[in-house]
């Protein structure tokens, strides 16, 4: 009888243990599947409704004009959002632009009916930059034709064209000269923020523009460039869609050079010397990417330097089409696990440092007659053709927010040292941190009046009031640090700064807004972001 009771107790323990293990396996499988799942739709998590205590939402008009049936509406009424998921905004309607005449007629309709107009495409800015309350929104995504002039080494394109498709069109003969480090954005969006990316020699998009045709608020069309209507050019590029609608732009293109890829790990403190002695003087280094550790053990201390050294100016004739990103599900799981704390951040850093090189895709045959032996060779288009699908997920009640801070090069080390402490002491997970190179610019609303390094951060937050409050506190602390070091913060992101911070970073803002009123006296072109700039500058 005693033995039977022991056997019964043992069996019950086994059953309980099996149930626990089975439950853990089931939970783990369900959790991994959830973390690996791509987005099922737009995240709509409400609206950050104020900037520095100033309310942003506007009351709807008592009466709205009837919709012009001749315009190609894709939405009549409704709401719109951006990549943050935190900018839900009611709009009058959305016109799906396919040709230049659609824009002219939409602007005429807005002028006649007292409507504001906003200009939008893929909407990856994060603070209501591409729409406004009760505005008529021009959706340019299908206004996207591209033509290439091989002899002139240019491409002429409409603003809705996305870099991903442009690269497919240029490949294998040519490549983009300047764009962001990912290709998910539209050309119009890149022009509106003066984007920059992996080519540390080419600099920002502004330096690749031959000319632009722009429709102004009164419906007139003008051409501008660095040498023709230069003042308008300086305000349209980096002007956040507030001065007119770009109808087409002619941009430089370059050879689709072949690069030897390499990477090394250095200390962040050594980066300024590394750039000055290795990267900057070596003109054969075509692309560069600096990725900082976000693992607790060496947070913002170690840096992986990715470099691409040119070995040929053209790929072999049989170069295949550009491949799409691989391992998306696994990368998405690793990225989402990193939101859970230090252990998973260490796992992510180990993956980037140790495992990724073993799976690197070498797209140019090693036997090509380039005397490169066993080197891993890629064309310029390959590393620039990353649409980062693993960054987008189906996790509700959270969102991932970009920050970018531009620091004079001499101030890099003290800035990073203090940024490290600020980020360590707060609770929001830092998912990625990278360093870019920017040159001095001569634009009206300029993020880099002198050569600078930029720190790009990708930070996760809950989408509730507490998450927004923590992100606001962190953003303001990093902006204060940036200003103390003589730098500026990038404006396409969330509207968490104060009026004092905005004017300290951009003292030319009042002149920018005055010029806006000169080109657009009735303020036809508007956005939530524009109203925020006016409110904080005292010109509302």
């Amino acid at each position: 009888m005693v033995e039977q009771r022991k056997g019964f107790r043992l069996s019950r323990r086994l059953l309980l243990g099996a149930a626990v293990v089975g439950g853990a396996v089931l939970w783990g499988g369900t959790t991994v599947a959830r973390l690996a799942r791509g987005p099922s739709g737009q995240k709509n998590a409400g609206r950050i409704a104020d900037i520095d205590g100033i309310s942003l939402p506007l009351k709807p008009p008592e009466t709205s004009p009837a919709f012009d049936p001749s315009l190609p509406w894709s939405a009549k009424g409704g709401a719109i959002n951006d990549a943050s998921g935190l900018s839900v905004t009611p709009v009058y309607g959305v016109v799906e632009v396919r040709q230049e005449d659609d824009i002219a007629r939409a602007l005429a309709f807005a002028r006649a009916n007292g409507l504001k107009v906003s200009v939008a495409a893929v909407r990856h800015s994060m603070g209501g930059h591409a729409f406004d309350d009760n505005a008529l929104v021009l959706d340019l995504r299908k206004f996207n034709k591209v033509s290439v002039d091989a002899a002139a080494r240019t491409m002429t394109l409409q603003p809705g064209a996305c870099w991903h498709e442009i690269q497919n069109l240029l490949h294998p003969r040519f490549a983009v000269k300047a764009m962001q480090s990912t290709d998910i954005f539209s050309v119009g969006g890149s022009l509106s923020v003066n984007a920059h990316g992996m080519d540390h020699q080419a600099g920002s998009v502004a330096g690749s523009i031959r000319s632009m045709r722009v429709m102004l608020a009164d419906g007139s069309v003008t051409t501008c460039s660095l040498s023709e209507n230069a003042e308008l050019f300086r305000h349209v590029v980096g002007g956040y869609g507030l001065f007119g609608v770009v109808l087409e732009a002619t941009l430089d293109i370059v050879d689709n050079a072949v690069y030897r890829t390499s990477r090394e790990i250095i200390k962040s403190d050594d980066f300024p010397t590394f750039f000055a002695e290795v990267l900057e003087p070596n003109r054969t280094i075509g692309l560069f990417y600096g990725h900082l550790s976000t693992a607790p053990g060496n947070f913002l201390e170690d840096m992986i330097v990715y470099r691409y050294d040119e070995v040929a100016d053209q790929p072999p004739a049989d170069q295949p089409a550009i491949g799409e990103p691989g391992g998306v599900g696994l990368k998405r799981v690793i990225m989402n696990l990193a939101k859970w704390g230090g252990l998973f951040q260490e796992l992510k850093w180990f993956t980037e440092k140790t495992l990724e090189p073993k799976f690197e895709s070498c797209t140019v045959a090693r036997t090509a007659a380039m005397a490169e032996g066993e080197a891993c060779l890629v064309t310029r288009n390959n590393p620039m053709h990353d649409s980062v699908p693993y960054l987008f997920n189906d996790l509700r009640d959270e969102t991932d927010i970009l920050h970018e801070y531009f620091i004079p090069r001499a101030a890099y080390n003290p800035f990073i040292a203090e940024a490290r402490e600020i980020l360590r002491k707060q609770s929001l997970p830092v998912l990625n941190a990278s360093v870019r190179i920017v040159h001095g610019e001569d634009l009206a609303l300029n993020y880099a009046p002198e050569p600078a390094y930029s720190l790009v951060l990708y930070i996760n937050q809950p989408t509730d009031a507490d998450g927004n409050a923590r992100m606001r506190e962190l953003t303001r602390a990093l902006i204060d640090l940036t200003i103390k070091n003589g730098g500026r913060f990038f404006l396409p992101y969330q509207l968490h700064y104060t009026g004092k911070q905005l004017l300290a970073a951009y003292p030319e803002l009042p002149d920018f807004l005055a010029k806006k009123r000169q080109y657009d006296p009735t303020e036809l072109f508007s956005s939530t972001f524009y109203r925020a700039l006016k409110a904080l500058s005292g010109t509302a």
Side-chain angles (χ1 to χ4, degrees), residues 258-259 311-312 314-320 361-379 382:
V258 177
Y259 297 131
V311 298
Q314 287 292 318
D318 60 349
Q319 183 66 16
S361 176
C362 304
T363 56
V364 179
R366 296 175 181 177
T367 56
M370 297 173 185
E372 286 302 309
E374 289 302 306
C376 180
L377 303 181
V378 298
T379 73
N382 294 115

Side-chain angles (χ1 to χ4, degrees), residues 216-232:
L216 302 179
D218 62 3
S220 63
V221 176
T222 187
T223 300
C224 61
S225 66
L226 285 170
S227 59
E228 181 182 5
N229 292 319
E231 183 180 69
L232 178 62

Side-chain angles (χ1 to χ4, degrees), residues 211-538:
S211 66
M212 298 183 296
R213 290 179 62 247
V214 180
M215 184 174 290
L216 302 179
D218 62 3
S220 63
V221 176
T222 187
T223 300
C224 61
S225 66
L226 285 170
S227 59
E228 181 182 5
N229 292 319
E231 183 180 69
L232 178 62
F233 179 88
R234 293 180 63 252
H235 286 82
V236 171
V237 181
Y240 296 90
L242 298 174
F243 286 79
V245 183
V246 175
L247 302 177
E248 65 179 22
T250 299
L251 308 181
D252 290 323
I253 56 178
V254 297
D255 289 323
N256 186 27
V258 177
Y259 297 131
R260 177 180 61 250
T261 70
S262 64
R263 48 193 277 159
E264 59 184 293
I265 299 176
I266 65 172
K267 289 296 181 183
S268 173
D269 289 351
D270 296 333
F271 175 70
T273 300
F274 184 88
F275 176 74
E277 296 181 357
V278 178
L279 292 178
E280 190 170 35
N282 189 342
R283 306 299 293 179
T284 67
I285 301 176
L287 301 174
F288 147 80
Y289 180 72
H291 183 68
L292 290 162
S293 168
T294 55
N298 56 2
F299 185 74
L300 301 192
E301 292 178 1
D302 286 352
M303 175 192 288
I304 302 176
V305 175
Y306 300 81
R307 55 185 277 188
Y308 297 80
D309 291 74
E310 184 175 330
V311 298
D313 61 8
Q314 287 292 318
D318 60 349
Q319 183 66 16
I322 319 174
E324 300 299 324
V328 172
L330 176 60
K331 290 178 182 178
R332 186 180 287 126
V333 168
I334 292 171
M335 178 65 69
N336 288 330
L337 284 173
K339 301 169 184 177
W340 292 5
L343 176 64
F344 295 104
Q345 288 278 14
E346 296 285 358
L347 172 64
K348 178 174 172 288
W349 179 243
F350 172 79
T351 301
E352 293 164 351
K353 184 174 62 173
T354 307
L355 299 182
E356 279 189 0
K358 300 182 185 302
F359 296 97
E360 187 168 16
S361 176
C362 304
T363 56
V364 179
R366 296 175 181 177
T367 56
M370 297 173 185
E372 286 302 309
E374 289 302 306
C376 180
L377 303 181
V378 298
T379 73
R380 180 183 178 89
N381 281 326
N382 294 115
M384 297 177 75
H385 196 66
D386 187 358
S387 53
V388 290
Y390 45 87
L391 296 184
F392 306 108
N393 57 64
D394 203 34
L395 303 178
R396 299 295 156 176
D397 304 320
E398 63 150 59
T399 188
D400 303 322
I401 301 299
L402 276 164
H403 298 230
E404 187 164 5
Y405 304 95
F406 303 93
I407 309 301
R409 292 181 184 175
Y412 173 84
N413 278 338
F415 170 80
I416 289 292
E418 286 197 61
R420 183 183 297 124
E421 294 310 306
I422 290 171
L423 290 163
R424 274 177 169 162
K425 290 176 181 177
Q426 59 85 46
S427 58
L428 298 176
V430 181
L431 304 178
N432 264 316
S434 60
V435 174
R436 296 283 190 274
I437 310 299
V438 294
H439 306 306
E441 300 278 1
D442 181 24
L443 298 175
L445 202 59
N446 192 2
Y447 56 69
E450 63 179 289
Y453 299 126
S454 77
L455 175 66
V456 184
L457 300 171
Y458 197 52
I459 303 175
N460 178 255
Q461 69 154 91
T463 54
D464 58 12
D466 176 64
N468 291 332
R470 283 188 282 160
M471 185 63 82
R472 177 163 290 187
E473 180 181 7
L474 172 60
T475 303
R476 291 180 175 181
L478 290 170
I479 290 174
D480 280 340
L481 173 63
T482 301
I483 292 170
K484 184 177 81 169
N485 284 277
R488 300 189 172 198
F489 61 97
F490 210 8
L491 292 172
Y493 303 129
Q494 285 186 303
L495 309 180
H496 284 329
Y497 36 88
T498 67
K500 182 179 178 181
Q501 288 176 324
L502 177 64
L503 289 170
Y506 291 91
E508 65 273 26
L509 179 61
D511 291 338
F512 175 86
L513 294 174
K515 194 63 67 174
K516 153 73 172 173
R517 292 295 297 269
Q518 178 182 325
Y519 280 99
D520 182 9
T522 64
E523 297 176 290
L524 178 74
F525 297 113
S526 187
S527 64
T528 306
F529 167 71
Y530 173 56
R531 289 192 294 107
L533 292 184
K534 291 200 301 176
L536 293 188
S537 68

